[in-house]
Amino acid sequence: MQTPHKANLMNHPLQEYFSALDRLKKNQPINLPKRTKITNDAVSLEAGRSKGSIKKSRSMFASLILDIEQAAAEQFKRSNQESEKLERAKQSATQYRLELEAALERELSLLYELYEIKKQLAQITGANVLPIRPEGKCQHST
């Protein structure tokens, strides 16, 4: 939805700047890399103008500068939210890795305990060979 001042700019010289700002907000720039930080200079360059062409001293840029500041604040807020989400995901991955390692340690401990029990059973029964796997079952298929 266009703001009222944008609707009146269809043939206005600032239209290129507002279009550039919209592309930067949508992360679909033409002249700059994606995820470019929204600034006055970035909007100028995206509009195909020279860096510094948006001047605070020129009243014609007042509404554009306000829109740029709002867009930059929103971009910063989204960036912080994404950073927090990424940090939570990293913490979850670390927690899952620790839980997996603990489960593997338990599994290994149980396998060792089973091996020791089978060894004791082999001594009691007089068997010379300890079966590693049940007969007739193979993990690898050829």
Side-chain angles (χ1 to χ4, degrees), residues 12-52:
H12 196 277
L14 291 178
Q15 179 60 34
E16 291 176 24
Y17 289 106
F18 280 105
S19 295
L21 176 59
D22 286 337
R23 289 193 302 273
L24 288 172
K25 285 198 263 187
K26 294 175 184 173
N27 197 25
Q28 298 173 339
I30 296 170
N31 300 317
L32 296 173
K34 288 190 173 197
R35 295 184 172 231
T36 296
K37 184 177 176 184
I38 298 175
T39 63
N40 291 355
D41 288 341
V43 173
S44 295
L45 294 171
E46 178 60 24
R49 303 296 174 97
S50 64
K51 187 175 180 179

Side-chain angles (χ1 to χ4, degrees), residues 63-127:
S63 63
L64 176 64
I65 291 171
L66 283 175
D67 282 3
I68 292 171
E69 289 171 354
Q70 289 173 351
E74 181 62 33
Q75 184 185 48
F76 181 74
K77 180 180 174 185
R78 274 194 316 269
S79 175
N80 280 348
Q81 289 171 342
E82 289 172 2
S83 295
E84 290 171 3
K85 188 176 180 180
L86 178 63
E87 188 57 37
R88 285 192 303 271
K90 284 180 180 179
Q91 289 174 353
S92 291
T94 299
Q95 182 61 34
Y96 290 137
R97 182 181 52 78
L98 293 173
E99 290 174 8
L100 174 64
E101 288 174 358
L104 290 173
E105 286 176 16
R106 286 190 304 274
E107 181 85 10
L108 188 57
S109 175
L110 289 171
L111 285 173
Y112 180 74
E113 187 177 337
L114 179 61
Y115 172 77
E116 290 296 319
I117 289 172
K118 283 187 173 189
K119 195 162 78 172
Q120 290 173 2
L121 181 61
Q123 288 175 348
I124 293 170
T125 61

